[in-house]
Amino acid sequence: MISNSRMKYVLWITVFGLCLVFFSFGSALAQDAESNAATSYNMGIEAEQKGDTADAVTYYKAAIASDEKMADAHFNLGSIYFAQKTYIEAAKSFKKVTELDPSSAEGFANYGKV
């Protein structure tokens, strides 16, 4: 039979090992989200350069869904909304840029234009 102190030791080792697994899994998920956000953002830029603003909006929204702190995606989305004269949506996007990146002069300028 295993002693009580040995059982506690085995339990602590098991808990510690599980914590390591969960933390490394969470880190991998965060890296995947950043990678997905960057991929979607880049696809949005490509679509916008081709003049396909509908797809660009979809890709920028996907980037934001993967990483809501991606100020560049919010900025580009706001620029499209502004060009489409969808001013309420543009204002929301540019306001988010100013919240995420308080040093973004362009974000503040565009928010002011809206």
Side-chain angles (χ1 to χ4, degrees):
M1 177 160 254
I2 299 176
S3 69
N4 197 18
S5 62
R6 177 128 172 108
M7 183 65 107
K8 287 180 184 178
Y9 177 75
V10 169
L11 181 62
W12 278 108
I13 295 295
T14 303
V15 168
F16 180 72
L18 288 173
C19 286
L20 286 176
V21 168
F22 287 126
F23 285 125
S24 61
F25 182 70
S27 176
L29 286 178
Q31 288 174 349
D32 284 347
E34 288 175 10
S35 176
N36 289 342
T39 299
S40 295
Y41 175 75
N42 290 331
M43 292 173 76
I45 290 174
E46 289 176 19
E48 196 171 358
Q49 288 171 344
K50 293 177 184 174
D52 189 353
T53 56
D55 277 351
V57 166
T58 301
Y59 288 127
Y60 291 139
K61 285 182 175 181
I64 292 166
S66 293
D67 181 4
E68 68 180 39
K69 294 182 179 182
M70 184 178 262
D72 291 338
H74 286 282
F75 184 88
N76 290 0
L77 188 58
S79 297
I80 291 172
Y81 286 144
F82 188 81
Q84 295 174 340
K85 299 182 181 181
T86 311
Y87 297 122
I88 292 172
E89 294 302 317
K92 288 177 188 177
S93 294
F94 290 131
K95 182 174 189 217
K96 189 66 174 179
V97 171
T98 64
E99 292 169 356
L100 294 172
D101 184 6
S103 66
S104 174
E106 286 182 309
F108 279 102
N110 288 348
Y111 186 44
K113 286 179 189 176
V114 176

